[in-house]
Amino acid sequence: MRGQTPTIEVVLVHGIRTSATMWRAQVGYLQELGYRVTAVDLPGHGTRMAETFTLSGAMETIDTAVRAAASRAHVLLVGHSLGGLLCTAYVGAGDPPPVAGFIAASCTAFPRGAALTTYRALAGTFNSLPDQGMWLTKRMLAATLPEDTRADFGAGGYALAAQDTALRSLAALDLRSALTRIMVPTWFINGQYDQLRVSEKIFSRLVAGSELIVIPRATHLVSAMRPAAFNAAMKLALVTLERDLAVDSAAGQSVGRAAQ
């Protein structure tokens, strides 16, 4: 990519409780390759911690970043966990946004019913602890994440106050319908031990032509736990999109010459 004008820009959307800082390893990698990258903070998270999380505000944040990037290049949208579910609904909207490709990481579960209730109850239990579960959270991160990325998850602060509101809002998403409307190249990326893998086969089946990538020895925080493997999956998506764009461009030029 160096010395060339990038044809793709990447927009990154973080997961619950964390912020744009969770993507530091990916931002550095993509910038080293010459790609322009935007990592957003959702309402109630990171630099916007004082704001109230709303579904409409989150969608507006994603849309603003995507349309800004689309004014310069084709867009690869990447979302993790909460961000991945929001991006799934966004990409699968009835009026398709200007997204050329989509990576949905650690988010192949439908956020409703008993599963969502259990997750909210667990989050509530953590928040009820004297330190809101931060001691346990830090111990878990120390035990599972490599030293290079361990600080990234919490570097922008922990959005504890937004957690239940964000989780509750997910029940309003009609992801099954959204998945069937996604027509861009799509990759579902999960860690081998991710609890949200539960419906990965359904998700991949509903999106025509999508690819499912399972990264061995990784949990829910796959991009931070095995950043090199996650980056390689992103590179696969980028190379595939660039190839497809080049083919489409060549075909368009051929049609143009034939019409002359």
Side-chain angles (χ1 to χ4, degrees), residues 158-243:
Y158 291 93
L160 302 176
Q163 193 168 222
D164 189 64
T165 300
L167 288 171
R168 187 172 64 249
S169 72
L170 294 177
L173 300 178
D174 184 2
L175 292 181
R176 189 176 293 270
S177 295
L179 288 163
T180 63
R181 289 191 293 262
I182 295 177
M183 298 299 170
V184 299
T186 298
W187 293 264
F188 295 106
I189 303 178
N190 287 329
Q192 180 181 2
Y193 304 119
D194 187 357
Q195 65 272 26
L196 296 190
R197 286 185 61 190
V198 61
S199 297
E200 63 183 20
K201 292 183 179 178
I202 297 175
F203 273 61
S204 57
R205 185 174 69 247
L206 290 174
V207 180
S210 64
E211 296 184 46
L212 172 62
I213 299 173
V214 178
I215 296 181
R217 304 184 306 283
T219 61
H220 186 65
L221 303 181
V222 59
S223 60
M225 189 171 188
R226 297 203 61 197
F230 189 88
N231 291 348
M234 277 200 312
K235 182 66 181 297
L236 170 65
L238 288 163
V239 169
T240 301
L241 289 178
E242 287 168 344
R243 181 204 62 196

Side-chain angles (χ1 to χ4, degrees), residues 106-187:
S106 304
C107 61
T108 51
F110 293 101
R112 58 182 61 234
L116 179 59
T117 300
T118 300
Y119 197 93
R120 286 181 61 195
L122 180 61
T125 299
F126 267 68
N127 285 346
S128 68
L129 296 174
D131 63 347
Q132 294 185 294
M134 291 308 305
W135 177 83
L136 183 56
T137 295
K138 291 177 181 178
R139 287 292 299 269
M140 290 173 62
L141 294 178
T144 57
L145 300 185
E147 188 173 354
D148 289 349
T149 61
R150 192 175 301 157
D152 298 346
F153 188 81
Y158 291 93
L160 302 176
Q163 193 168 222
D164 189 64
T165 300
L167 288 171
R168 187 172 64 249
S169 72
L170 294 177
L173 300 178
D174 184 2
L175 292 181
R176 189 176 293 270
S177 295
L179 288 163
T180 63
R181 289 191 293 262
I182 295 177
M183 298 299 170
V184 299
T186 298
W187 293 264

Side-chain angles (χ1 to χ4, degrees), residues 10 14 21 27 37 41 47 49 51 71 76 84 87 101 130 139 149 155 158 170-171 202 204 206:
V10 182
H14 64 79
T21 64
V27 170
V37 190
D41 276 333
T47 58
M49 195 83 74
E51 299 180 31
S71 70
L76 173 64
C87 288
R139 287 292 299 269
T149 61
Y158 291 93
L170 294 177
I202 297 175
S204 57
L206 290 174

Side-chain angles (χ1 to χ4, degrees), residues 93-106:
D95 183 14
V99 171
F102 176 39
I103 292 177
S106 304

